[in-house]
Amino acid sequence: MLLDGKVAVVTGSGTGMGRAFAIDLAKAGAKVVVNARTAADVAKVVGEIRGFGGTAEGCVASVASMEGAGAIIRTAVDAFERVDILVNNAGIMRPRPLVDMTEQDFDEVIATNLKGTFACARHAVPHMIKRGWGRIINMSSASILGQEGASSYASSKGGVLNLSLTWAVELAKYGITCNAIRSSAATRLTEKGRERAKQAALARGEQAPTDAELGYYKPEEAAPLVVFLASDDAGWINGQFICIDGPRLAICEHTHHAKTAIMPGGWTTELLSEHFKTTVGMPLQAYGFLTPDGRKVL
């Protein structure tokens, strides 16, 4: 099998996308550490994997602390003597408008989504370096383009993307690749938003759209991308932001100069007022990834 002999850690794998990733990695031959904060969820997924003949261990811990992240990686090392693949999937969302968001709201999301990604990698990468091989797959989000009520979530996922690009540069010399992915999945994390969009359609006298019509797909449809990126076949792929939404696969462009204008002698405020629109300002870059009725545009 594609991942025979490999050991994979999947954070936040008690439900949703993480569960789908863990199961497909195990079906591809990897030994998997299942992680979540809820013991029942961990036990269920470990049981599912063992039920089809796969190998799995569970770790109930939060990625939001260095201690919790360390416990997750130690589970892999103690049980399987190595860590080859790290899927940083654990994430939470506390949707609030900026004017209503508290410091606690912000800090909790950053701690899990951004610090948790750092913490798990910090513990796992030394093991990968020793073996001269590793795969890090981080979950980012289209929310980095802007999402109402998502100051903490969008900033955390933007940070995850930046970590991914930095680690791709820093770790390549050790045989370790790092890529970020995103997928619009119908999970508990997106449930409220999907329901709001459906209720809004009904209020307008329209038929409620399906999850797929809103741009949300089954978590299982994204799992093959994780398995592929974790394999030797994807060793040439590094530092990429890859999207998979049902049947659509896409590479996202990194932030580079979209349009450039040169003014000999430099720009003044007056020159900017005169020339911005006719040089770099037409058109301006799109922002936001949801239409007003809740459908995905990315």
Side-chain angles (χ1 to χ4, degrees):
M1 290 187 283
L2 194 62
L3 300 178
D4 270 347
K6 302 298 185 186
V7 174
V9 173
V10 185
T11 67
S13 48
T15 60
M17 296 188 71
R19 170 187 169 274
F21 298 160
I23 287 174
D24 268 29
L25 287 164
K27 287 181 176 178
K31 300 172 183 176
V32 178
V33 171
V34 176
N35 157 255
R37 293 181 298 177
T38 304
D41 289 340
V42 171
K44 183 178 180 181
V45 177
V46 169
E48 288 182 271
I49 292 173
R50 291 175 177 172
F52 60 72
T55 302
E57 293 291 335
C59 180
V60 180
S62 170
V63 302
S65 70
M66 294 301 290
E67 294 77 15
I72 297 166
I73 303 305
R74 280 197 306 275
T75 298
V77 175
D78 291 346
F80 307 125
E81 301 182 344
R82 57 196 286 181
V83 179
D84 302 298
I85 300 157
L86 172 62
V87 183
N88 281 306
N89 171 77
I92 61 173
M93 192 174 189
R94 299 283 187 268
R96 302 279 192 281
L98 173 61
V99 295
D100 295 330
M101 185 168 288
T102 66
E103 181 179 12
Q104 182 177 354
D105 292 332
F106 190 86
D107 287 350
E108 286 180 354
V109 174
I110 295 296
T112 296
N113 300 4
L114 183 56
K115 182 184 175 183
T117 296
F118 158 76
C120 289
R122 178 63 184 84
H123 286 289
V125 164
H127 298 282
M128 297 178 180
I129 290 176
K130 288 179 183 178
R131 304 190 68 86
W133 195 97
R135 299 285 185 267
I136 302 173
I137 302 163
N138 295 328
M139 288 299 297
S140 187
S141 168
S143 67
I144 64 174
L145 291 176
Q147 180 180 2
E148 185 176 356
S151 294
S152 56
Y153 185 77
S155 57
S156 73
K157 291 301 185 178
V160 166
L161 177 57
N162 291 139
L163 285 179
S164 303
L165 300 179
T166 298
W167 295 344
V169 172
E170 186 175 321
L171 302 177
K173 62 191 174 198
Y174 302 112
I176 301 168
T177 66
C178 184
N179 294 287
I181 69 171
R182 58 150 290 272
S183 181
S184 297
T187 65
R188 291 192 302 191
L189 199 64
T190 61
E191 185 175 8
K192 290 182 179 180
R194 289 183 284 120
E195 185 59 28
R196 282 197 300 270
K198 293 174 183 180
Q199 290 301 319
L202 292 174
R204 295 192 300 267
E206 303 171 2
Q207 183 176 346
T210 65
D211 287 334
E213 287 171 340
L214 289 171
Y216 295 91
Y217 298 87
K218 296 178 181 178
E220 292 78 10
E221 295 181 80
L225 176 60
V226 170
V227 174
F228 168 64
L229 290 175
S231 73
D232 284 319
D233 290 350
W236 58 281
I237 303 172
N238 193 28
Q240 301 304 301
F241 186 21
I242 307 173
C243 309
I244 184 166
D245 296 312
R248 185 180 67 170
L249 178 69
I251 289 278
C252 288
E253 292 184 336
H254 295 326
T255 301
H256 293 293
H257 298 165
K259 297 181 69 176
T260 302
I262 305 296
M263 179 61 68
W267 291 93
T268 65
T269 303
E270 290 76 15
L271 288 171
L272 287 168
S273 296
E274 182 180 356
H275 295 292
F276 191 96
K277 184 175 182 179
T278 58
T279 55
V280 299
M282 289 297 287
L284 294 175
Q285 297 292 293
Y287 61 94
F289 81 107
L290 288 177
T291 61
D293 64 358
R295 286 177 164 80
K296 293 293 182 71
V297 295
L298 177 69

